[in-house]
Amino acid sequence: MIRKIQKYLITIAIVLVAACVLLAILALFIDEFFEIANNLFLQILLSFAVICVGCFFTNSALDVMDKTKILAITSVSLLCLSVVIALLLFWIFPGFNNVPEWFGKMTGIVALFSVYFTIVISTNAKFAGHYKALKIVYFALFGVVIAIILLEIFGVRIVQHITYPFIILCLVVFALMCICPILGKRVRYAIEENIIKIDKAEFDKIKERVSELEEENKKLKAELSKYEKLNKVDEDLNKLDGEIA
């Protein structure tokens, strides 16, 4: 079931990426394309982009559903909530005009927290105890980026004072974001080297044969028990005969 959902998510993400690229191409050839019909196409582009990102991170959360079910479900719920809030923002306030301050802050906070939470649980589960130092550095740096953005959301203008260090920090985090999935696959392949994979039909035959052998074992144990009892009776009779003699 999870694998089917992931296939649908990947398909949706691919279609939406193609749609976003098409809209971007149209904007290159049509003047003020995104301003047409009260920013209609801009709203569509942003909606497609947000849903696409949501599908991507949801897929990552579902990857670890079998390892951390509760955390994965929490992550998926937060991602769905952030997508819904973002869509409401795009369509209730076209062009981001007259957006209530509290609503804008809530959108940013939920989106940032859901993405960070998903990355932490998915990366931690995929590494399976490996690359501990790298995980600590990655999560710490990413957390610093999130904290700085949150400060900006709440009106603390810090980026303008640390522009270059912040850009470098973001680039490092982005690099780690690209590297960690690759290392996660290496860990998975290393684990799978010690696992024997067989066809499902063959596995079912083995299970059936094991069941048959277990039944045979039970019968043999019952027969052996009877034999041991008879042997004990013979020993007792022999002792009795010896005493009589």
Side-chain angles (χ1 to χ4, degrees):
M1 181 64 180
I2 298 296
R3 296 293 174 241
K4 287 185 178 180
I5 294 174
Q6 287 184 298
K7 287 181 180 179
Y8 293 142
L9 290 174
I10 292 171
T11 301
I12 293 171
I14 292 172
V15 172
L16 292 180
V17 167
C20 289
V21 171
L22 178 60
L23 289 171
I25 292 173
L26 290 174
L28 292 175
F29 294 97
I30 301 175
D31 292 335
E32 298 182 352
F33 176 74
F34 289 126
E35 284 75 27
I36 296 175
N38 194 24
N39 301 312
L40 175 63
F41 291 110
L42 176 61
Q43 293 168 248
I44 294 174
L45 175 65
L46 293 174
S47 300
F48 285 173
V50 165
I51 296 172
C52 181
V53 172
C55 289
F56 173 78
F57 284 106
T58 300
N59 185 65
S60 296
L62 294 177
D63 276 340
V64 297
M65 180 68 77
D66 56 334
K67 298 177 182 178
T68 55
K69 187 174 182 179
I70 295 177
L71 293 177
I73 292 174
T74 304
S75 175
V76 172
S77 301
L78 287 171
L79 289 167
C80 291
L81 177 62
S82 62
V83 169
V84 170
I85 292 175
L87 291 176
L88 290 174
L89 176 65
F90 299 153
W91 291 96
I92 295 178
F93 306 101
F96 304 105
N97 294 319
N98 302 319
V99 179
E101 184 178 354
W102 67 268
F103 191 78
K105 289 181 179 179
M106 180 183 67
T107 303
I109 293 169
V110 174
L112 289 171
F113 182 73
S114 60
V115 170
Y116 182 69
F117 185 77
T118 302
I119 288 176
V120 169
I121 67 164
S122 61
T123 303
N124 191 57
K126 289 176 182 177
F127 277 4
H130 297 76
Y131 301 107
K132 292 181 179 180
L134 179 63
K135 284 191 299 184
I136 293 172
V137 172
Y138 179 31
F139 297 156
L141 293 179
F142 206 150
V144 172
V145 171
I146 297 296
I148 292 174
I149 295 174
L150 287 175
L151 288 174
E152 288 287 330
I153 290 175
F154 285 100
V156 180
R157 304 305 174 195
I158 187 173
V159 173
Q160 61 184 353
H161 301 295
I162 55 168
T163 303
Y164 289 113
F166 181 69
I167 293 173
I168 293 171
L169 180 61
C170 290
L171 291 174
V172 172
V173 170
F174 177 75
L176 290 172
M177 189 182 295
C178 297
I179 291 171
C180 285
I182 297 173
L183 295 177
K185 288 184 179 180
R186 288 185 61 184
V187 172
R188 188 187 70 188
Y189 293 151
I191 294 173
E192 289 178 350
E193 285 181 357
N194 298 319
I195 299 175
I196 299 175
K197 293 184 178 181
I198 61 174
D199 184 72
K200 187 178 183 300
E202 186 69 22
F203 178 71
D204 290 338
K205 289 181 181 179
I206 294 174
K207 285 178 63 179
E208 184 179 350
R209 181 57 180 160
V210 169
S211 298
E212 292 175 357
L213 291 173
E214 286 177 347
E215 289 298 323
E216 291 180 9
N217 188 42
K218 288 180 181 178
K219 292 179 181 178
L220 290 172
K221 283 183 177 180
E223 293 178 2
L224 180 60
S225 178
K226 291 179 181 179
Y227 174 78
E228 289 176 346
K229 288 180 180 178
L230 290 173
N231 190 40
K232 184 69 170 60
V233 171
D234 288 340
E235 289 178 357
D236 292 340
L237 289 173
N238 291 332
K239 289 180 180 180
L240 183 60
D241 290 339
E243 291 175 357
I244 294 173

